[in-house]
Amino acid sequence: MTTPPAAWAAADPYATALRAGRGPLFLRRADGWLLPLDVERWCARADPVDLDVLDRCEGAVLDVGCGPGRLVAALSARGRTVLGIDVSATAVHRAMRLGGEALRRSVFDPLPGEGRWDTVLLMDGSIGIGGDPRALLDRVAGLLSPGGLLIAETAPVDVDERVEVQVVDVVDSPMSDGAFLWARLGTPALLRHAPRTRWTAVAHWTAGGRCFAALRSRSASSSAEPAKSTAVISSHRVRKPSEDSPVPSR
């Protein structure tokens, strides 16, 4: 598969907002529709809703589209093996400053530990990466170990759309060459896109006005039970954004 353009990473308003820790910041469609992006929450510490998600994670965790790294840092503080990936250098550096491991990488690039991650996170709209939900779900299935867990944050409305968007910090900004494909999915749409041959729906829930779904990759041994793990696994900080972080062999 061709790696999607890293237009998000090249969006200066995004990098500027992450450095400042605040917006305003929006995803803008060609028709002028705006989706506000919650930069302040992304740049803050993990909140109780986030922590509940992290309590559900199993084993080694890969946070896809980790942004400025609040979840990676929170899992690292628990002694968990966790790696964040993001196409934004600013996001990766911020995640590392918080004490997490992170790589500047697209989910469609070669990644450490492919096929051996126990949990993959797609939070804060990352289910939209690439604008092709089925392609993303196929890729995630290949990253997980057999029976591994995907936890995805979904849109709080029943939506299923693939659109061209741009990151902007002003409401009247015109579309430019920085536009890229994105998807928005509610939980029903996510479950429709997850082929039953590869995924089993485990749970879905709403907390703090945010919506989530958990899917387990299919294997002969998977139990499809809601996942909670108290396992503590040591981690080792990645010193540079370009370095790979090892995942323990299974």
Side-chain angles (χ1 to χ4, degrees):
M1 168 179 287
T2 300
T3 301
W8 182 291
D12 287 340
Y14 180 61
T16 299
L18 290 190
R19 293 187 190 102
R22 62 181 184 276
L25 199 67
F26 309 92
L27 284 184
R28 184 186 188 275
R29 284 192 320 217
D31 63 3
W33 178 88
L34 295 169
L35 175 68
L37 301 177
D38 199 351
V39 178
E40 288 84 356
R41 179 171 61 79
W42 297 351
C43 291
R45 293 183 179 274
D47 63 23
V49 175
D50 295 327
L51 295 178
D52 176 68
V53 170
L54 301 188
D55 287 342
R56 298 171 184 258
C57 292
E58 297 176 339
V61 181
L62 178 67
D63 185 0
V64 173
C66 67
R70 74 187 190 283
L71 304 180
V72 175
L75 283 168
S76 294
R78 296 181 179 191
R80 299 288 294 274
T81 294
V82 56
L83 175 67
I85 60 169
D86 203 286
V87 294
S88 165
T90 302
V92 167
H93 283 295
R94 182 159 182 146
M96 292 174 64
R97 286 200 303 271
L98 290 178
E101 299 184 9
L103 295 175
R104 187 182 182 188
R105 204 71 59 85
S106 163
V107 67
F108 296 106
D109 289 338
L111 294 173
E114 294 198 15
R116 290 185 283 127
W117 293 98
D118 300 298
T119 303
V120 168
L121 295 176
L122 289 171
M123 299 281 282
D124 303 325
S126 291
I127 189 65
I129 290 172
D132 186 340
R134 293 199 179 192
L136 181 59
L137 287 168
D138 283 346
R139 175 57 174 151
V140 169
L143 295 171
L144 284 166
S145 60
L149 188 69
L150 165 64
I151 301 179
E153 183 169 356
T154 56
V157 293
D158 187 4
V159 62
D160 184 358
E161 67 176 8
R162 280 149 297 285
V163 293
E164 191 173 56
V165 297
Q166 184 177 6
V167 179
V168 298
D169 55 6
V170 291
V171 297
D172 58 352
S173 174
M175 294 293 281
S176 71
D177 292 339
F180 54 96
L181 294 177
W182 199 253
R184 291 180 66 229
L185 300 179
T187 296
L190 172 60
L191 299 181
R192 287 195 300 271
H193 284 290
R196 294 183 179 181
T197 56
R198 301 202 69 173
W199 296 100
T200 298
V202 173
H204 58 87
W205 67 98
T206 300
R210 297 162 63 192
C211 297
F212 305 89
L215 306 175
R216 191 175 293 281
S217 63
R218 281 189 176 270
S219 73
S221 61
S222 64
S223 63
E225 291 296 324
K228 296 251 182 180
S229 175
T230 56
V232 176
I233 307 171
S234 63
S235 62
H236 307 279
R237 179 178 297 187
V238 175
R239 299 299 179 185
K240 297 179 181 179
S242 61
E243 293 175 352
D244 283 347
S245 172
V247 178
S249 60
R250 297 178 63 82

